[in-house]
Amino acid sequence: EDRLIEFAAMIIELTDSLRRNRAGLTLNDQMSRSCISAALNYGETGGSESPKDFVHKLQIVLKELRETLMALRITEKSKLSSNKELLQKCLVESNELISIFTKSVITNKGKL
């Protein structure tokens, strides 16, 4: 949970470095929503009604993390951020979180 919150804070900081053109504003909005959604949806796993519901919520977290990663990659390729160091940290953390949640989904699906 803490790692998702830290990731969301990193993304929020990164979005401050994006150019304020149409693409930058679009990616700013999208990255902010998807990374915050990942953290919030993970918070919802605590209230899962069943193991199947738990897996479903984890899959939503994973979907939002993948969306964030795609936005980060577009940001990198289009050179929209002035903070290249933070962008690289966000890319690494995004990949690591995706790996963690992919494994968690696989493990929990196996328990169903």
Side-chain angles (χ1 to χ4, degrees):
E1 185 173 300
D2 290 339
R3 204 157 164 188
L4 286 169
I5 292 167
E6 285 296 319
F7 180 59
M10 285 171 53
I11 294 292
I12 291 166
E13 183 181 344
L14 178 70
T15 59
D16 286 341
S17 75
L18 298 185
R19 277 194 263 151
R20 299 294 180 216
N21 60 14
R22 181 175 284 199
L25 292 171
T26 299
L27 287 166
N28 180 324
D29 185 50
Q30 196 60 46
M31 269 193 285
S32 297
R33 284 192 220 204
S34 59
C35 75
I36 292 168
S37 178
L40 295 176
N41 276 292
Y42 183 75
E44 286 293 312
T45 62
S48 297
E49 297 173 5
S50 67
K52 188 176 180 180
D53 186 42
F54 178 74
V55 169
H56 176 70
K57 286 177 172 40
L58 287 179
Q59 288 173 316
I60 292 170
V61 171
L62 187 54
K63 175 186 117 17
E64 296 295 346
L65 288 170
R66 286 181 176 141
E67 188 173 313
T68 303
L69 175 60
M70 187 62 68
L72 287 166
R73 290 179 62 206
I74 292 168
T75 299
E76 178 183 41
K77 292 291 181 192
S78 56
K79 298 176 176 67
L80 287 172
S81 174
S82 61
N83 192 339
K84 292 177 184 6
E85 182 179 327
L86 181 57
L87 176 57
Q88 287 307 308
K89 286 181 182 178
C90 288
L91 283 161
V92 168
E93 182 66 0
S94 182
N95 278 308
E96 289 179 8
L97 288 168
I98 288 168
S99 294
I100 291 166
F101 280 94
T102 298
K103 180 66 175 167
S104 185
V105 166
I106 290 167
T107 300
N108 283 285
K109 271 187 171 181
K111 294 178 182 178
L112 294 181

